[in-house]
Amino acid sequence: QVQLVESGGGLVQAGGSLRLSCAASGTIFSFKNMGWGRQAPGKQRELVATITASGGETSYVDSVKGRFTISRDNAKKMVFLQMNSLKLEDTAVYYCWQSPSSWGQGTQVTVSS
């Protein structure tokens, strides 16, 4: 059974940076597309960044494009989300995603003014 464990969340000031990590186990990691989603209070969870199995292609929702960077290390079975120029509206619980429908437990990211 796949297990996805996020880390790296915390409190950061607007304009600051944070790097999230996701460790995968119980999965054929290198064959799976990965991503990061987030859920703010009162809102639906949205997928904000994805990366293909090989790491050759990435995609981002418009609201984070140019600020967030997703990457992966297949040897370590990890995926990362580098978040720069953070905004108040980035505040959410961030979840690691593995294709097609697996999610981690989430890590809180809070951006303060």
Side-chain angles (χ1 to χ4, degrees):
Q1 193 70 206
V2 60
Q3 293 185 31
L4 304 170
V5 181
E6 303 94 334
S7 62
L11 177 65
V12 63
Q13 287 187 288
S17 297
L18 213 55
R19 190 191 193 213
L20 305 183
S21 299
C22 172
S25 63
T27 178
I28 307 175
F29 182 82
S30 62
F31 294 164
K32 301 288 188 178
N33 293 343
M34 301 291 296
W36 289 92
R38 67 184 182 186
Q39 187 169 27
K43 298 183 179 179
Q44 297 278 7
R45 180 161 59 190
E46 62 171 346
L47 197 61
V48 299
T50 64
I51 185 166
T52 55
S54 68
E57 297 179 19
T58 59
S59 65
Y60 304 91
V61 70
D62 286 345
S63 60
V64 309
K65 196 172 298 180
R67 300 188 298 118
F68 290 10
T69 302
I70 188 171
S71 61
R72 66 190 294 162
D73 185 333
N74 284 351
K76 296 180 179 179
K77 299 176 69 174
M78 297 189 72
V79 61
F80 308 95
L81 186 68
Q82 179 66 47
M83 305 184 293
N84 298 327
S85 302
L86 283 161
K87 304 175 179 180
L88 264 56
E89 51 263 44
D90 294 320
T91 295
V93 177
Y94 283 73
Y95 298 89
C96 184
W97 169 80
Q98 183 180 88
S99 179
S101 59
S102 295
W103 297 91
Q105 83 285 358
T107 185
Q108 177 71 47
V109 172
T110 302
V111 184
S112 63
S113 61

